Amino acid sequence: MASPMSLRHCSTNPSLGVVCRLHGHSKLGHAAPSLPEQLLIGRRQAAAAAAVAVALHAKEAISGSSVASALEFRFTAPEQTPEEADAVVKIHARDLVRIKPLIDSQSWREAQIALRESSSYLKQDLYTIIQAKPGSQRPQLRKLYSHLFNDVSRLDYAARDKDATRVQECYDNIVATLNEIFVLI
């Protein structure tokens, strides 16, 4: 096992990233000054920390943005206003319900594609609308939202398996849940 080294100095330099200087036993045989055990690290740990710092710095240099601000929170903060969502939610719900002819003709792949496209728009619309509702109405709407999109997923899997009975059952559940949601919103 590598001998522990004491962490002498660790600083952050914007142009270089993290710089750590280690102090171990000198070549002249003098022991390192006594430091608390929490500051003792091995060569491998120091090398790993340096590698992570270099990787983060390289990512920052390549992407042109800081690592911390590169995260996107688009789903939790939709770019859509509640008024915009209200204006198009029924159109997207209608598009979802219009996959019925594809189901009846057992065009499974086309039904899956249409289902995925229309449900993604509807999901964003409903999420935005639910977030704009008063807190007392949200739990019931969230429950219906969850049931709706669980049935959408089940329908997708049933279409993949070409199970006409399950597809029809899920489709009927989707239509009923959409009707319940539109009564509340």
Side-chain angles (χ1 to χ4, degrees):
M1 181 174 158
S3 65
M5 306 175 98
S6 63
L7 183 62
R8 175 65 78 157
H9 177 72
C10 193
S11 68
T12 304
N13 181 336
S15 64
L16 298 176
V18 177
V19 177
C20 293
R21 292 189 183 99
L22 300 173
H23 182 70
H25 297 289
S26 70
K27 291 183 180 179
L28 300 174
H30 299 287
S34 177
L35 289 174
E37 197 171 300
Q38 295 90 350
L39 294 178
L40 295 178
I41 62 172
R43 285 189 179 114
R44 288 183 183 163
Q45 290 170 326
V52 168
V54 168
L56 289 175
H57 185 65
K59 181 178 179 180
E60 193 174 313
I62 291 170
S63 69
S65 66
S66 84
V67 175
S69 65
L71 297 174
E72 290 189 26
F73 297 105
R74 212 172 270 167
F75 186 73
T76 58
E79 297 173 0
Q80 185 179 39
T81 66
E83 294 77 24
E84 292 170 336
D86 278 333
V88 294
V89 70
K90 289 190 178 185
I91 295 168
H92 293 146
R94 191 175 331 119
D95 290 344
L96 179 63
V97 173
R98 284 186 178 164
I99 65 164
K100 180 70 171 154
L102 296 171
I103 292 171
D104 290 341
S105 67
Q106 295 187 351
S107 302
W108 304 121
R109 187 69 189 139
E110 292 79 13
Q112 283 181 294
I113 292 169
L115 174 76
R116 291 173 186 167
E117 183 179 346
S118 61
S119 68
S120 66
Y121 294 127
L122 181 62
K123 192 172 201 173
Q124 182 180 356
D125 297 338
L126 288 175
Y127 179 84
T128 303
I129 292 169
I130 291 170
Q131 288 303 105
K133 292 291 181 184
S136 61
Q137 293 178 355
R138 286 185 201 161
Q140 185 178 10
L141 287 169
R142 286 182 182 147
K143 185 176 180 183
L144 291 170
Y145 175 91
S146 176
H147 286 305
L148 174 66
F149 291 103
N150 284 339
D151 281 325
V152 166
S153 294
R154 287 185 193 111
L155 192 148
D156 191 14
Y157 285 119
R160 181 193 66 186
D161 297 340
K162 298 176 174 76
D163 185 345
T165 306
R166 266 189 25 213
V167 166
Q168 188 60 48
E169 178 185 324
C170 292
Y171 179 81
D172 293 341
N173 291 341
I174 288 169
V175 172
T177 305
L178 278 171
N179 289 334
E180 288 181 58
I181 289 172
F182 285 121
V183 166
L184 296 174
I185 61 171

